Amino acid sequence: MIEVQGVSGQRVAVLGLGRSGLSAARALRAGGAQVLAWDDSPEAREKALEEGFEIKDLTRDGAFGDIAMLIVSPGIPHLYPQPNKAVANALREGVAVDNDIGLFFRSFAAAGWAAHDVPPRVVAVTGSNGKSTTSALIHHVLQEAGKDVQLAGNIGRGVLDIDPPEDGGVVVLELSSYQTELARALTPDVAVFTNLSADHLDRHAGLGGYFAAKRRLFAEGGPDRAVIGVDEAEGLFLAGQMAEAPGDDRVIRVSVNRKLAGPGWSVFARKGFLSEYRKGRQAGSIDLRNIKGLPGEHNHQNACAAYAACRTLGLSPKVIERAFHSFAGLPHRSQLIAEKDGVKFVNDSKATNVDSALKALKAFGKIRWICGGLEKEGGLSALAPALENVTKAYVIGREAAEFSLQLEGVKAEICTTMARAVEAAMSEAQPGETVLLAPAAASFDQYDNFEKRGEDFIEEVRSRL
């Protein structure tokens, strides 16, 4: 556990008692704070009460009269579309509002670090798509290289649940916009920005607010190194803001759309080959085409970002390449779950928006595509460039008929349920084809989350093999 610093003797409130909320409450108590907790769920309150935390309704007027700080869990809005009542109360009374990420960065450096030969470092990864795979890949490479490394944040353990790092240790954090937008301290040693596409727009009042939340990871603390995907205008702008000159190698630009030239530091992938350039000369390369855990252009972007981050930590290209080959990938993200009679079965349930689904469709040819669910804003027109790869679509979800009407030029069957979709796709699949779950939609019309949807797909496939 990372004990929170600077709170001894203070009364600190925690709003939201899920994984991150309870973790923050424990770390605050370990740091000497008196913790008051609140959640709208009676079950969550009961669990906190069993752990000895005082329960206080923070939504009531005057609730913050003796409270020094409010710690808010990621899913609770503090500004848009409208602030939670407890957050509004705190702000009106001048109480500082933070989250577990802010607590982590203000508390990470401990007194014992004076004895370290090499201070521990933090690599923080954000972006719209690929941040989980990129974070897990960095963690895997460092682990294979024999480093003391921990994975936390949106993936792995809660940030305050990790062990105090050893000499030369590395903590890899996956951070969502919900986490970066509110943290009062953001000081990673290496910050990674994968890409940007429209998502969570109601929470951030539009794309500009969403990008601003991501940008805080770079602007607030000034990382020693910034790895930035520059295939979108926002990433290109961010790289320009962070670099002092064209040759400033504190910024590593990443692309899968074009060769990156110039005097600076860059990593790019073209036609399945990763290349690293520094000061106009090639410094490393990897053939990504036969790495099973990283299929498709979107995973090549993840590989470039992870490669760049690991290079900043002193790893050689050969060490990174060797680790790439043993990376199995993450569940529900271009996950190869089976292969039989020349047909591949791939679970990309995490493709919950059009942009991520587009990347999944581009990664494979001759696709039997299982799609559908709770559609997000913007429609499906952006999928058009990859629909030529689709042999047939099998549409699930409560609004399957409406969803299928947007798939112009694609033969589609309305299946509604996962069982029916898998049965139909498997019965019709031919050698050389891929049965791909890439929904391009949220799961909440039928499942609790995308993990449950992916698990259902896996179960239905394996029960028929």
Side-chain angles (χ1 to χ4, degrees):
M1 178 188 293
I2 303 295
E3 295 183 3
V4 178
Q5 304 297 310
V7 295
S8 181
Q10 295 183 5
R11 287 169 62 80
V12 180
V14 175
L15 177 63
L17 299 173
R19 185 188 71 158
S20 66
L22 278 178
S23 171
R26 297 181 190 115
L28 285 161
R29 181 166 60 187
Q34 181 182 350
V35 179
L36 302 95
W38 182 255
D39 193 294
D40 290 340
S41 165
E43 292 79 12
R45 296 198 299 269
E46 182 62 30
K47 184 176 180 180
L49 194 61
E50 290 173 0
E51 292 198 32
F53 295 112
E54 180 182 343
I55 302 300
K56 182 173 184 178
D57 186 349
L58 302 173
T59 66
R60 292 184 178 179
D61 293 340
F64 287 89
D66 57 353
I67 292 174
M69 183 189 309
L70 172 65
I71 305 303
V72 181
S73 293
I76 298 173
H78 62 274
L79 185 56
Y80 303 114
Q82 62 182 25
N84 177 277
K85 187 175 180 181
V87 177
N89 286 346
L91 294 172
R92 274 195 299 269
E93 298 188 34
V95 173
V97 179
D98 205 346
N99 62 13
D100 61 331
I101 305 302
L103 294 180
F104 169 82
F105 278 112
R106 67 182 269 180
S107 307
F108 181 58
W113 281 26
H116 290 332
D117 291 328
V118 179
R121 286 173 287 183
V122 177
V123 179
V125 181
T126 195
S128 296
N129 298 307
K131 57 184 179 291
S132 294
T133 298
T134 300
S135 301
L137 184 55
I138 294 168
H139 175 263
H140 175 78
V141 172
L142 292 170
Q143 200 169 48
E144 291 293 296
K147 304 295 184 181
D148 171 38
V149 58
Q150 299 178 76
L151 181 63
N154 238 20
I155 186 173
R157 302 163 72 181
V159 291
L160 294 168
D161 284 335
I162 67 169
D163 302 319
E166 301 295 332
D167 192 338
V170 180
V171 177
V172 182
L173 300 180
E174 181 202 337
L175 299 180
S176 72
S177 59
Y178 288 11
Q179 294 167 307
T180 59
E181 69 174 343
L182 190 58
R184 295 172 71 91
L186 284 169
T187 54
D189 299 277
V190 182
V192 180
F193 176 87
T194 58
N195 51 57
L196 193 83
S197 61
D199 208 358
H200 309 306
L201 299 189
D202 57 338
R203 172 67 178 258
H204 301 292
L207 188 61
Y210 178 47
F211 174 55
K214 301 286 189 185
R215 180 183 172 277
R216 291 190 77 246
L217 182 63
F218 299 81
E220 294 297 312
D224 295 334
R225 300 280 187 184
V227 177
I228 301 175
V230 295
D231 287 336
E232 292 88 28
E234 292 86 358
L236 195 62
F237 175 78
L238 180 59
Q241 283 199 310
M242 297 298 295
E244 294 292 336
D248 187 349
D249 67 0
R250 294 174 301 172
V251 176
I252 308 175
R253 292 169 171 83
V254 167
S255 176
V256 289
N257 287 348
R258 58 193 173 93
K259 178 179 178 179
L260 298 175
W265 193 351
S266 61
V267 180
F268 59 89
R270 297 181 71 194
K271 298 181 179 179
F273 288 88
L274 178 153
S275 297
E276 175 192 4
Y277 274 74
R278 296 189 74 171
K279 299 180 179 178
R281 301 181 65 180
Q282 189 167 14
S285 65
I286 297 176
D287 184 351
L288 301 172
R289 294 174 299 174
N290 296 318
I291 299 178
K292 289 188 176 181
L294 297 167
E297 185 179 277
H298 61 304
N299 274 311
H300 294 174
Q301 183 183 57
N302 300 333
C304 287
Y307 175 96
C310 291
R311 290 288 280 143
T312 71
L313 298 173
L315 272 61
S316 72
K318 288 191 177 297
V319 167
I320 299 170
E321 180 177 11
R322 186 164 57 248
F324 276 8
H325 279 280
S326 61
F327 180 65
L330 287 179
H332 316 299
R333 297 162 175 86
S334 296
Q335 177 190 13
L336 178 64
I337 60 171
E339 189 168 358
K340 184 178 180 182
D341 299 332
V343 178
K344 293 180 179 179
F345 299 88
V346 176
N347 166 30
D348 204 333
S349 183
K350 184 62 171 67
T352 58
N353 58 40
V354 168
D355 185 65
S356 54
L358 175 65
K359 291 173 180 176
L361 291 173
K362 285 182 174 180
F364 305 96
K366 297 181 180 179
I367 298 168
R368 301 277 173 176
W369 179 32
I370 298 176
C371 57
L374 193 61
E375 188 182 339
K376 295 186 177 180
E377 293 181 20
L380 305 177
S381 59
L383 292 170
L387 293 182
E388 62 183 14
N389 293 346
V390 177
T391 302
K392 184 178 176 180
Y394 305 82
V395 189
I396 63 173
R398 295 177 184 174
E399 300 176 354
E402 291 82 352
F403 195 98
S404 66
L405 289 175
Q406 298 185 60
L407 303 177
E408 295 184 13
V410 176
K411 184 179 180 182
E413 179 177 339
I414 298 171
C415 298
T416 307
T417 67
M418 184 69 73
R420 174 58 191 149
V422 170
E423 180 183 30
M426 291 184 73
S427 66
E428 296 174 357
Q430 301 296 314
E433 295 183 339
T434 298
V435 175
L436 171 67
L437 171 66
S443 59
F444 305 123
D445 59 332
Q446 292 182 308
Y447 302 93
D448 289 340
N449 49 52
F450 72 84
E451 291 96 339
K452 293 294 185 183
R453 178 171 59 190
E455 290 164 5
D456 191 17
F457 173 72
I458 293 171
E459 184 178 340
E460 292 292 344
V461 169
R462 290 179 175 168
S463 68
R464 291 174 168 80
L465 291 176

